[in-house]
Amino acid sequence: TLAFDQVDKFGPMLIELDSKKQAMGILTYSISMTTLEEVFMALGEKAEREAAESGRAQGENTDFREVEQEADPEHGEVYRADADERRSAKAIMRVRLRLATANRSAIFSVLVLPTMLNLLAVFMEGGKSAAGGASSGQAVGLAIYPPMAFGISIVAFTLQLVREKEVKTKHVSLAQGLQVRSFWLGTVMAHYLVNVLNSLILVSAILIQGDQRLTGNGFPLILVEALIYPVCLLLMAYNFSMLFTQVEFASKVLPLTNILLGTVPTSVIYILLQNPQLQEGAE
């Protein structure tokens, strides 16, 4: 850092540096103004140390401590302990999971309500269909309620990302040294764990219900689909989050989108199949 009161010496210094650049092995150099973040960090560090020296503080603030360096056992390289990619991803995942269970409203929207809808889809009874004695109410329930259940949790995750965009959470994290890959890896892991839990609850309910058409040879395929389906939903949620900049607007549009894309098409097909002529054609 060059002191401002020595600015009159910058010119001669740079001229001499430029003339001896080749001898000193310097290819190129540049000068830039101190960033606002660096100024704040320097002032904060100075204030903390002055407080510690005067006895007003117990010790040095951990934000300004020297970070211990650790050796990478695989490559023998030295790296900053708090900048490890896996450690950062795990930290983001834990934060996401805490946000998903931060209060009753969050738990209800991402776990309780989807579970209720999935159980309703499997155990709902109705009239017998003409094809083979299966419950028509259960058939339409399996077609309508699971997409609605997963859509509700996806809306919650999308709103979370839009809210973070609104307050610049990701940008601040990246400015503080968090890697982009760690940010998204931790986010995807946390959101996937919540959604795959809903998927496994649905699969378990199907297994308990005991419908031979679902628990027979096709059950392994249902299990695989349950593990893959959350990935598709999360990709859709993350893409939707890029379309909004305000939580208020997104909270109005996303539930409608969930209804239009997940519920209306299936309901229309079910209503059309109640027509006897269409039933005969389907059979």
Side-chain angles (χ1 to χ4, degrees):
T1 302
L2 302 176
F4 186 75
D5 57 0
Q6 302 292 324
V7 67
D8 57 329
K9 300 179 181 179
F10 289 177
M13 182 193 67
L14 294 176
I15 292 174
E16 185 176 358
L17 180 62
D18 196 59
S19 63
K20 298 181 179 180
K21 185 170 61 173
Q22 186 173 2
M24 298 175 65
I26 300 175
L27 297 178
T28 182
Y29 63 89
S30 63
I31 298 177
S32 62
M33 294 290 292
T34 304
T35 64
L36 189 61
E37 180 184 357
E38 290 172 340
V39 173
F40 283 141
M41 291 294 291
L43 292 175
E45 182 179 5
K46 181 180 178 181
E48 290 291 337
R49 287 179 177 172
E50 289 179 353
E53 291 172 359
S54 63
R56 290 177 297 167
Q58 297 298 325
E60 188 177 14
N61 192 312
T62 55
D63 291 337
F64 307 112
R65 76 189 192 283
E66 291 293 331
V67 179
E68 180 183 356
Q69 304 224 331
E70 298 180 1
D72 188 346
E74 297 180 0
H75 305 92
E77 300 176 353
V78 176
Y79 69 100
R80 284 182 54 180
D82 64 342
D84 180 75
E85 183 176 316
R86 289 174 295 181
R87 183 178 301 181
S88 300
K90 290 179 181 178
I92 291 295
M93 182 184 70
R94 288 196 295 267
V95 170
R96 297 291 186 194
L97 291 175
R98 287 187 179 182
L99 287 175
T101 58
N103 50 60
R104 293 181 180 179
S105 176
I107 296 175
F108 185 80
S109 61
V110 301
L111 287 175
V112 177
L113 185 56
T115 298
M116 292 172 59
L117 291 172
N118 283 329
L119 295 178
L120 181 64
V122 175
F123 296 105
M124 184 177 69
E125 299 294 338
K128 301 295 183 179
S129 65
S135 169
S136 60
Q138 185 186 51
V140 69
L142 284 171
I144 293 178
Y145 292 122
M148 188 184 300
F150 288 107
I152 291 172
S153 60
I154 288 301
V155 167
F157 295 146
T158 306
L159 290 176
Q160 185 183 99
L161 293 177
V162 175
R163 186 177 296 106
E164 292 180 357
K165 183 194 299 185
E166 198 172 37
V167 298
K168 309 295 183 184
T169 301
K170 183 177 71 173
H171 296 84
V172 173
S173 300
L174 298 181
Q176 295 298 323
L178 180 67
Q179 299 182 24
V180 176
R181 185 161 54 180
S182 298
F183 177 86
W184 284 111
L185 183 60
T187 300
V188 171
M189 286 192 300
H191 291 171
Y192 177 80
L193 286 176
V194 175
N195 274 276
V196 80
L197 178 60
N198 291 327
S199 295
L200 294 178
I201 289 174
L202 176 61
V203 172
S204 300
I206 291 174
L207 188 62
I208 294 173
Q209 200 273 342
D211 192 326
Q212 292 299 321
R213 297 177 304 169
L214 298 176
T215 58
N217 296 330
F219 183 75
L221 183 61
I222 295 177
L223 181 59
V224 172
E225 183 179 359
L227 298 176
I228 297 176
Y229 186 56
V231 177
C232 305
L233 291 175
L234 292 178
L235 291 176
M236 182 184 69
Y238 298 156
N239 282 286
F240 272 152
S241 69
M242 300 173 64
L243 302 177
F244 303 97
T245 56
Q246 296 181 347
V247 177
E248 182 179 359
F249 181 64
S251 61
K252 296 177 181 177
V253 175
L254 289 174
L256 296 176
T257 305
N258 180 33
I259 293 175
L260 291 175
L261 297 180
T263 306
V264 172
T266 309
S267 302
V268 170
I269 293 175
Y270 175 74
I271 293 173
L272 291 176
L273 288 177
Q274 301 309 304
N275 188 315
Q277 296 180 350
L278 292 176
Q279 283 186 353
E280 293 177 2
E283 294 175 0

